[in-house]
Amino acid sequence: MAMTTKRRVLYRQGSGFWRMTAKWALVFGALYLLDGGLIRSWGDAVTWPMIGILLWAPFGIGVVWYPKKDQQLALTTRELRVRRKRLSMEKVNLLHVARLWLDGYSTADDRPVSEWPRADRVLWVPLSDGRAFGVEIRDPAAFAKVFGAFAVGACGGPDIVRARASAETYPDPRPMRARSAGGDGSWTDVLDIFD
């Protein structure tokens, strides 16, 4: 399998801390402008920024950001980094990824990638030993597109992938313990605007 030696970042996902903070400031800033400009005086409306500052730590950081702080990852041509863990591409079953991507799917998901919404979900990365581990992605379709295209290229192209997939046999990836991708609609979902 041809693997490039140059380390090039293909996909990067941050923890979302600054995005959450910016949206938090935007919402309470808009309330300040609306209240001060249309409803009450500017002096009375200053309570909104104060409320935002007081609630930012317990709710913005504690409720909105902290449960998703471990979503930081980077996909390079040599490894997949999830938080501080590094997974070499030598251990990933790129043939399985490439075959699924050419079929319009990715990581053993029954829905076509084109139908995936932009929302938190766990994608399974298949390993060569038959296992697979879940990675939480905010834009799963974008990650699958980059990962799938890289896998096809690393395996030699579409024709070689199809030929190898029909000739080689390997166990279907067996998911390891899954990490939650957002749950079943708890009360904290109302704060998704800040994510």
Side-chain angles (χ1 to χ4, degrees), residues 93 96 99-100 107-108 124-127 130-132 170-175:
N93 189 347
H96 185 71
R99 182 180 63 82
L100 288 174
T107 62
W124 295 103
V125 178
L127 305 181
R131 296 180 301 162
Y170 50 82
D172 288 332
R174 184 181 68 259

Side-chain angles (χ1 to χ4, degrees), residues 148-164:
F150 166 71
V152 171
C155 291
D159 295 335
I160 295 178
V161 168
R162 292 189 176 93
R164 288 183 56 192

Side-chain angles (χ1 to χ4, degrees), residues 8-29:
R8 182 166 54 93
V9 177
L10 303 173
Y11 185 90
R12 188 187 301 276
Q13 176 176 277
S15 67
F17 176 81
W18 294 112
R19 184 187 301 108
M20 176 275 298
T21 301
K23 291 183 178 180
W24 193 269
L26 180 64
V27 167
F28 283 95

Side-chain angles (χ1 to χ4, degrees), residues 98-116:
R99 182 180 63 82
L100 288 174
W101 174 249
L102 290 177
D103 293 339
Y105 300 88
S106 181
T107 62
D109 195 296
D110 292 334
R111 293 180 62 187
V113 174
S114 59
E115 297 179 4
W116 286 359

Side-chain angles (χ1 to χ4, degrees), residues 59-71 136 179-180:
F59 287 94
I61 296 180
V63 176
V64 179
W65 175 78
Y66 188 80
K68 301 179 180 180
K69 67 180 176 60
D70 292 335
Q71 293 183 346
E136 290 183 79
R179 298 175 60 222
S180 172

Side-chain angles (χ1 to χ4, degrees), residues 24 27 59 63-64 68 182 185-195:
W24 193 269
V27 167
F59 287 94
V63 176
V64 179
K68 301 179 180 180
S186 64
W187 69 276
T188 57
D189 289 346
V190 73
L191 299 176
D192 283 350
I193 185 175
F194 297 112
D195 178 35

